[in-house]
């Protein structure tokens, strides 16, 4: 609904787009997600990194979010492909800011490292829901601690990247569940958190247990900021990879670059 604002940059003049790479078919079947699934999706397009970089350069974007399906069918689960896309983008435009919203790579840290050290600015990986509801909401190959370990690992191999995750609300979580999740995220040094309302894609998917009020979303934003997250986006229509935070992230990235330059100088 806000596509003009997204492409044009809106009042903050940050022109952005979200691009899904590695195909449109996922090897997992999470009960909240409407993306089609298969055990054997079509092969990756080896020319995709160049195609994406050329398109984004042509569009003149300031900030691009790369997201993807899970590709458990590939030996490296697509980590090398993800890395190539980021590197091609930075090669064509060193000033563009890149956020990568990645799968969990089944917790294989050498694959996480491939993406984390690719030159990206923001490493996003979604825990999706609170620990108690993980098995009901996510594919059996995903998991709470596995996702936390991915976010933790990023900071171990790249101390300049921002880390980011998202939670869907309305799945039956309690306030205590949410608070415990926020504390776990902060203990793993996650910088950015977004909250959005879960919406049921079809009757085959998990039903909505609660429609959270805008006032409650705002309360969660205040509470999360008090815990020390650098930026929090919280609202019914906030989505992890859609125009939630690019303006703020751009400023955070520039501040961090300045700090690192001062420290190394």
């Amino acid at each position: 609904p806000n596509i003009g604002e997204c492409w044009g940059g809106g009042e903050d003049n940050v022109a952005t787009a979200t691009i899904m790479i590695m195909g449109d078919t996922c090897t997992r079947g999470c009960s909240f997600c409407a993306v089609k699934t298969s055990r054997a999706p079509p092969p990756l397009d080896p020319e995709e990194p160049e195609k994406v970089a050329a398109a984004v350069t042509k569009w003149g974007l300031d900030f691009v979010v790369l997201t993807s399906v899970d590709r458990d069918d590939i030996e490296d689960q697509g980590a090398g492909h993800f890395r190539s896309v980021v590197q091609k983008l930075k090669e064509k435009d060193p000033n563009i800011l890149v956020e990568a919203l990645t799968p969990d790579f089944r917790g294989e840290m050498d694959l996480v490292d491939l993406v984390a050290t690719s030159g990206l600015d923001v490493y996003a990986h979604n825990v999706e829901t609170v620990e108690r509801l993980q098995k009901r909401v996510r594919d059996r190959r995903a998991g709470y601690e596995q996702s936390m370990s991915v976010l933790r690992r990023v900071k171990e191999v790249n101390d300049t990247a921002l880390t980011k995750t998202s939670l869907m609300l309305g799945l039956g979580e309690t306030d205590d569940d949410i608070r415990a999740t926020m504390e776990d995220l902060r203990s793993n040094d996650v910088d950015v958190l977004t909250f959005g309302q879960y919406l049921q894609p079809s009757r085959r998917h998990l039903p909505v247990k609660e429609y959270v009020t805008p006032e409650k979303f705002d309360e969660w934003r205040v509470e999360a900021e008090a815990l020390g997250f650098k930026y929090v986006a919280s609202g019914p229509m906030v989505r992890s990879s859609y125009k939630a935070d690019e303006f703020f992230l751009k400023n955070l990235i520039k501040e961090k670059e300045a700090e690192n330059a001062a420290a190394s100088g």
Side-chain angles (χ1 to χ4, degrees):
N2 303 324
I3 194 164
E5 173 191 308
C6 185
W7 285 97
E11 61 185 19
D12 301 319
N13 291 320
V14 182
T16 82
T18 297
I19 299 172
M20 188 164 81
I21 62 173
M22 302 203 293
D24 63 356
T25 305
C26 190
T27 51
R28 300 192 185 180
C30 295
S31 55
F32 66 89
C33 183
V35 172
K36 62 185 177 181
T37 64
S38 170
R39 290 182 181 176
L44 298 180
D45 176 3
E47 296 180 9
E48 185 173 50
E50 181 63 39
K51 289 176 181 175
V52 169
V56 168
T57 303
K58 184 178 179 182
W59 296 337
L61 301 177
D62 304 295
F63 195 116
V64 63
V65 180
L66 301 173
T67 185
S68 77
V69 291
D70 284 86
R71 293 299 303 255
D72 298 281
D73 59 310
I74 300 169
E75 187 175 354
D76 75 349
Q77 298 170 61
H81 191 85
F82 226 125
R83 179 183 177 89
S84 294
V85 176
V86 176
Q87 290 181 328
K88 280 290 182 185
L89 282 164
K90 289 288 190 175
E91 185 182 300
K92 288 193 180 292
D93 183 0
N95 294 317
I96 195 168
L97 300 178
V98 179
E99 174 181 327
L101 174 56
T102 77
D104 59 20
F105 301 116
R106 294 200 297 263
E108 296 178 26
M109 294 308 159
D110 56 327
L111 303 183
V112 175
D113 292 357
L114 276 177
V115 183
T117 60
S118 63
L120 51 68
D121 301 285
V122 182
Y123 193 115
H125 171 66
N126 292 341
V127 296
E128 308 291 8
T129 188
V130 299
E131 185 171 18
R132 181 174 57 85
L133 299 178
Q134 290 280 318
K135 289 183 180 178
R136 188 189 312 169
V137 172
R138 302 175 76 190
D139 185 273
R140 59 181 174 76
R141 286 161 286 189
Y144 186 79
E145 181 48 45
Q146 183 164 275
S147 287
M148 289 289 177
S149 71
V150 169
L151 292 162
R152 181 167 61 245
R153 177 64 178 177
V154 174
K155 289 295 184 71
E156 293 172 0
V157 296
N158 183 346
D159 60 1
T160 63
L162 294 172
T163 49
K164 173 183 169 186
T165 198
S166 298
L167 284 173
M168 298 177 289
L169 303 187
L171 287 160
E173 66 287 334
T174 66
D175 286 3
D176 285 345
D177 288 332
I178 296 170
R179 289 191 179 100
T181 304
M182 290 194 295
E183 288 168 5
D184 288 342
L185 291 167
R186 285 304 301 130
S187 69
N188 285 289
D189 201 22
V190 174
D191 299 303
V192 178
L193 175 61
T194 72
F195 292 104
Q197 172 68 49
Y198 168 65
L199 298 173
Q200 185 181 24
S202 78
R203 291 182 180 178
R204 295 183 296 104
H205 293 83
L206 280 175
V208 176
K209 292 290 182 71
E210 178 190 7
Y211 288 100
V212 180
T213 66
E215 292 76 18
K216 186 66 174 176
F217 272 107
D218 204 48
E219 288 175 18
W220 285 125
R221 178 188 59 78
V222 171
E223 196 164 325
E225 287 173 348
L227 283 174
F229 289 99
K230 291 186 171 69
Y231 177 69
V232 183
S234 183
M237 299 307 292
V238 168
R239 293 294 174 264
S240 60
S241 59
Y242 169 71
K243 196 57 185 174
D245 44 33
E246 287 87 349
F247 174 69
F248 299 94
L249 289 182
K250 186 174 183 178
N251 287 337
L252 280 176
I253 291 162
K254 296 302 180 189
E255 286 172 16
K256 198 158 190 178
E257 285 176 352
E259 288 173 11
N260 289 337
S264 61

